[in-house]
Amino acid sequence: DLLHISEGSLPMRYLGLPLLASKLSKMDGKVLLDKLLRRTSSWMSNSLSFGGRLQSMYSVMFSIQVFWCSTFILPVAVTKECDRIMRIYLWHGTSNGKKSGKVAWSRVCKPKKEGGLGIKGCRAWNQAAIMKIGWEIFQKKASIWIDCNYSWSWRNVLNSRKLLANKLHYEVGNEQSFSLWFDPWLSGVSIVDRFGDRVIQDSGI
């Protein structure tokens, strides 16, 4: 009362993001979807050519997703809807309806050198961003994630270790801090775990 600050209630928003202590719901993600819909439904966006829409996706639409994907583990339903909005907008210049694309979205999202357009799917980008947080926790970098040890999001960041393990690159070096047999460098598992102790004798190394 002295400071003339009214009492609020959760969820509230900070920098456009909902402040939550629990799992992000599809309804919470509606803010993200509404932002994409507003961008793709404007007359300026609808008047662009295919190349113009593609460029706007690179520079504008994707940046909206990055902000959310780097902060929350998004529900699958939200990531699918984001991709649907982007797909319809790219091919048809609108975000409404259930029109299909001319090329499979999974192929469109491949890198250009693999025949795609270099667009990043929302689900894959969300997983990559969460794995980056997991890596920063492992490296013990200064981060708010280091201290929030009991939140739902923190536990799910740790669950991303299974995905992260398959993407790690190992450097053998002088072998002082690396084990060929027991370190999990082979698709997230060690050679001994996959083939058994006998493989050490059979190798003759």
Side-chain angles (χ1 to χ4, degrees):
D1 291 338
L2 290 174
L3 297 175
H4 304 289
I5 298 175
S6 60
E7 181 178 358
S9 60
L10 292 174
M12 59 181 292
R13 303 200 177 282
Y14 178 71
L15 298 178
L17 299 175
L19 295 181
L20 300 168
S22 59
K23 179 179 179 180
L24 189 76
S25 68
K26 184 179 179 181
M27 186 59 64
D28 296 321
K30 189 176 183 298
V31 179
L32 169 61
L33 300 177
D34 288 342
K35 284 186 177 181
L36 290 176
L37 287 171
R38 282 197 300 271
R39 291 285 187 175
T40 56
S41 300
S42 67
W43 65 269
M44 186 176 293
S45 297
N46 294 340
S47 62
L48 294 174
S49 63
F50 177 84
R53 293 195 299 270
L54 183 60
Q55 189 60 41
S56 71
M57 290 177 67
Y58 288 143
S59 58
V60 180
M61 312 299 180
F62 184 65
S63 63
I64 297 174
Q65 294 187 57
V66 166
F67 191 41
W68 281 69
C69 288
S70 301
T71 310
F72 297 114
I73 300 173
L74 299 178
V76 175
V78 174
T79 58
K80 286 184 176 179
E81 185 63 15
C82 285
D83 285 341
R84 188 193 71 82
I85 293 171
M86 301 280 273
R87 182 180 68 248
I88 297 176
Y89 171 69
L90 175 64
W91 295 116
H92 305 286
T94 180
S95 57
N96 299 319
K98 297 182 179 181
K99 300 177 181 178
S100 60
K102 300 177 181 179
V103 180
W105 189 244
S106 57
R107 185 173 180 181
V108 171
C109 291
K110 287 185 177 181
K112 292 182 179 179
K113 63 181 180 181
E114 296 181 15
L117 294 177
I119 298 173
K120 297 178 178 64
C122 186
R123 182 67 176 169
W125 183 255
N126 189 208
Q127 289 178 337
I130 296 305
M131 282 192 287
K132 181 176 182 291
I133 295 173
W135 179 251
E136 290 177 349
I137 293 175
F138 176 74
Q139 296 287 81
K140 297 182 179 179
K141 292 185 177 180
S143 170
I144 189 174
W145 290 98
I146 300 297
D147 301 320
C148 58
N149 298 348
Y150 302 103
S151 69
W152 177 89
S153 296
W154 193 85
R155 292 194 301 272
N156 279 271
V157 167
L158 294 187
N159 287 337
S160 70
R161 288 177 296 184
K162 297 176 182 178
L163 293 171
L164 183 62
N166 293 325
K167 307 299 180 184
L168 291 177
H169 291 268
Y170 289 84
E171 182 177 351
V172 177
N174 61 6
E175 298 183 86
Q176 296 302 309
S177 60
F178 184 91
S179 171
L180 171 67
W181 305 114
F182 299 103
D183 281 351
W185 61 269
L186 185 62
S187 298
V189 298
S190 68
I191 290 181
V192 167
D193 286 340
R194 175 160 296 186
F195 301 107
D197 295 328
R198 180 73 184 180
V199 71
I200 300 177
Q201 293 179 337
D202 292 344
S203 70
I205 300 176

